């Protein structure tokens, strides 16, 4: 008797009146939002505009969904175009069946279109999005849990997945390896690896994305080998195992060749973004200086004789603030967004009002 296991939901869909709310769809949607959110944060850190990642995702996500479904239908065509198949079922995405290989491949085409329209280098965008893609996959895999599908070999380990029997589709009840959970945890590890490596080695020109692809494929190969759902085999291995191995090799080759041909990282990832940020910082510095000027005049009016600020104090602060903002903008344009943090202390020092030290009243 099994003393511990992971239960499966009794149903994968809840109806809100005539509207079906499917767990599989919710997992995919949440995964997309998390991926775009993290990608946007990384894109801003690289020197891009906020919202650009979401704008390009409008192209990438639909292409990715179509690509994922096409890969599944082509590699598992029997239920749709085989004997006694139902071709219209190929459009029932909510019942499961999205191949990550097709989703990434065709999603990349959509991203390329979006990047080209905005004049953005595709490799830089892919690098920013890579950890978000891994986290999105981690969340999306829970859709398989709702559908009770794509589990592994029978097992009695404490973390086994309880699957209910369904004679209509030939599903045999029992406890199985929760391969959806294995892949979820693996993808979280991949996201952490890419974030760490990107900070440590300043990956650029698509190498962060290539690292994500290679790391994911390494895990997908052994997880796929554990699954017991029907699949085409080549030389005794499941088709997706071969796909993972081939894509892994291609990603590693790209990492090596790219590092030799284009070392370092792109300095400019989005035209005009650095200039806009510098202008905004200069405007903020000028506004702060103006507020300081107004406060100084008010203090002088209230303090009477001897309480007036030294002449030229506020204009000096205003000029220093502008100079500091300009220096930060030039440093960012030359050395990247990281140089702004280094310039911040000197900016604060320059903005200190002249004559702010102690004075003795005569």
């Amino acid at each position: 008797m099994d003393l511990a296991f992971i239960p499966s939901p009794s149903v994968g869909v809840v109806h809100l009146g005539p509207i079906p709310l499917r767990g599989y769809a919710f997992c995919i949607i949440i995964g997309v939002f998390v991926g775009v959110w993290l990608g946007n944060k990384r894109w801003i850190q690289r020197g891009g505009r906020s919202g650009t990642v979401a704008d390009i995702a409008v192209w990438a996500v639909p292409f990715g969904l179509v690509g994922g479904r096409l890969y599944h239908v082509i590699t598992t065509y029997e239920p749709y175009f085989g004997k006694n198949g139902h071709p219209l079922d190929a459009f029932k995405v909510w019942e499961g069946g999205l191949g990550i290989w097709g989703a990434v491949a065709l999603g990349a085409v959509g991203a390329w279109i979006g990047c080209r329209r905005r004049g953005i280098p595709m490799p830089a965008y892919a690098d920013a999005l890579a950890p978000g893609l891994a986290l999105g996959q981690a969340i999306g895999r829970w859709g398989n849990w709702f559908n009770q599908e794509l589990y592994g070999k029978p097992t009695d380990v404490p973390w086994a997945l309880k699957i209910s029997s369904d004679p209509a589709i030939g599903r045999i009840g029992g406890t199985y390896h929760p391969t959806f959970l294995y892949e979820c945890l693996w993808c979280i590890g991949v996201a952490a690896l890419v974030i760490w490596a990107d900070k440590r080695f300043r990956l650029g020109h698509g190498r962060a994305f290539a690292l994500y692809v290679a790391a994911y494929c390494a895990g997908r190969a052994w997880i796929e080998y554990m699954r017991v759902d029907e699949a085409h085999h080549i030389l005794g291995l499941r088709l997706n195992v071969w796909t993972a191995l081939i894509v892994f090799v291609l990603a590693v080759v790209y990492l090596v060749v790219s590092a030799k041909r284009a070392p370092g990282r792109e300095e400019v990832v989005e035209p005009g973004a650095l200039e806009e940020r510098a202008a905004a910082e200069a405007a903020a510095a000028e506004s702060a200086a103006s507020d300081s000027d107004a406060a100084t005049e008010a203090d002088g009016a209230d303090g009477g004789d001897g309480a007036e600020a030294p002449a030229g104090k506020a204009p000096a602060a205003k000029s220093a603030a502008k100079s500091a903002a300009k220096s930060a903008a030039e440093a960012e344009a030359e050395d990247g967004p990281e140089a702004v943090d280094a310039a911040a202390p000197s900016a604060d020092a320059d903005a200190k009002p002249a004559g702010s030290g102690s004075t003795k009243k005569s």
Side-chain angles (χ1 to χ4, degrees):
M1 182 177 67
D2 298 318
L3 299 179
F5 57 82
I6 301 173
S8 290
S10 57
V11 294
V13 56
V14 176
H15 287 82
L16 184 62
I19 303 175
L21 305 178
R22 302 181 184 277
Y24 185 89
F26 272 108
C27 290
I28 298 296
I29 293 171
I30 295 172
V32 169
F33 273 100
V34 170
V36 171
W37 167 78
L38 181 57
N40 183 66
K41 289 177 65 66
R42 287 172 51 80
W43 185 251
I44 294 174
Q45 292 171 357
R46 290 287 303 273
R49 295 187 181 93
S50 176
T52 296
V53 169
D55 291 343
I56 296 177
V58 171
W59 288 90
V61 172
F63 273 74
L65 290 175
V66 172
R69 189 58 175 176
L70 281 175
Y71 181 89
H72 168 75
V73 172
I74 291 173
T75 58
T76 314
Y77 62 87
E78 291 85 356
Y80 313 104
F81 304 105
K83 185 179 180 181
N84 300 322
H86 300 84
L88 292 180
D89 288 351
F91 297 97
K92 297 180 179 179
V93 181
W94 55 88
E95 292 183 354
L98 290 174
I100 185 61
W101 317 109
V104 172
L106 205 55
V109 174
W112 176 80
I113 294 174
C115 287
R116 186 175 178 83
R117 289 168 58 89
R118 298 179 71 102
I120 290 172
M122 174 70 177
Y125 179 81
D127 284 341
L129 201 61
L133 282 175
L135 282 183
Q137 287 176 242
I139 296 171
R141 270 304 172 195
W142 284 85
N144 301 135
W145 177 66
F146 279 101
N147 284 357
Q148 296 196 48
E149 60 183 1
L150 308 186
Y151 42 85
K153 296 178 174 66
T155 183
D156 58 357
V157 295
W159 58 87
L161 176 66
K162 182 72 173 180
I163 296 295
S164 60
S165 176
D166 189 349
I169 59 176
R171 190 171 66 203
I172 301 174
T175 55
Y176 300 85
H177 276 287
T179 50
F180 84 91
L181 180 59
Y182 298 161
E183 187 165 338
C184 170
L185 296 176
W186 185 269
C187 286
I188 293 174
V190 170
L193 171 65
V194 174
I195 291 174
W196 170 82
D198 195 23
K199 290 182 177 179
R200 175 66 176 81
F201 303 106
R202 291 180 54 80
L203 301 176
H205 301 283
R207 288 189 287 276
F209 183 80
L211 177 61
Y212 144 73
V213 172
Y216 172 75
C217 289
R220 178 61 185 269
W222 66 265
I223 294 172
E224 182 74 23
Y225 185 76
M226 296 179 65
R227 283 169 38 174
V228 294
D229 53 297
E230 293 185 2
H232 294 285
H233 288 70
I234 300 176
L235 299 177
L237 291 178
R238 293 166 64 95
L239 174 61
N240 281 335
V241 174
W242 283 108
T243 304
L245 293 175
I246 293 171
V247 175
F248 171 82
V249 172
L250 293 176
V252 172
V253 170
Y254 180 88
L255 272 170
V256 175
V257 174
S258 174
K260 292 182 178 180
R261 286 191 171 186
R265 175 189 284 181
E266 302 92 338
E267 294 298 336
V268 178
V269 297
E270 186 167 5
L274 295 179
E275 290 79 359
E276 287 183 6
R277 183 178 300 180
E281 290 174 352
E286 184 174 356
S287 177
S290 298
D291 293 342
S292 175
D293 190 2
T296 301
E297 291 179 357
D299 290 343
D302 293 341
D305 56 348
E308 277 190 41
K313 173 181 176 181
K318 188 173 182 180
S319 176
K322 287 183 177 180
S323 176
K326 182 178 179 181
S327 298
E330 292 175 350
E332 182 177 10
E334 180 178 355
D335 300 325
E338 292 84 353
V340 177
D341 294 336
S346 62
D348 292 340
D350 292 340
K352 186 175 181 180
S356 60
S358 61
T359 57
K360 187 174 180 180
K361 185 176 180 180
S362 58

